[in-house]
Amino acid sequence: DVRKTWLEQQDQPFDLIIHVEGNARERSDELQALGFQVKRSFRLTNSISLRGTGKQALQLLDIPWVTRVEPDRPVHAYRR
């Protein structure tokens, strides 16, 4: 479903979390060079929060060191 959304909305911006092999900081630099807006890298989970268009998101699927791509959704905490 996510891939279909990216295909249908290639010019729209999307917030993503990607998991990578290798050093997340170095990968962040590479992603910026590809035109992504890198928001933050997470060393503990070896992942990166970024923003890019649907077209760019589809290109991530062909990068060998990207192991997982998922939407970056808000997290809500509820009081008991």
Side-chain angles (χ1 to χ4, degrees), residues 6-48:
W6 295 338
L7 280 168
E8 293 171 351
Q9 301 176 20
Q10 291 192 25
D11 294 329
Q12 295 298 314
F14 291 92
D15 292 322
L16 306 168
I17 298 284
I18 66 165
H19 299 260
V20 299
E21 292 177 350
N23 184 304
R25 260 183 215 222
E26 290 175 12
R27 300 301 189 199
S28 293
D29 293 340
E30 293 177 52
L31 291 164
Q32 283 181 335
L34 293 173
F36 288 94
Q37 175 190 359
V38 175
K39 297 180 186 179
R40 187 172 178 188
S41 59
F42 305 95
R43 285 186 311 160
L44 186 60
T45 58
N46 217 35
S47 57
I48 302 166

Side-chain angles (χ1 to χ4, degrees), residues 49-62:
S49 170
L50 53 83
R51 181 173 206 134
T53 64
K55 185 176 182 177
Q56 289 174 307
L58 290 167
Q59 292 172 346
L60 289 171
L61 303 176
D62 294 328

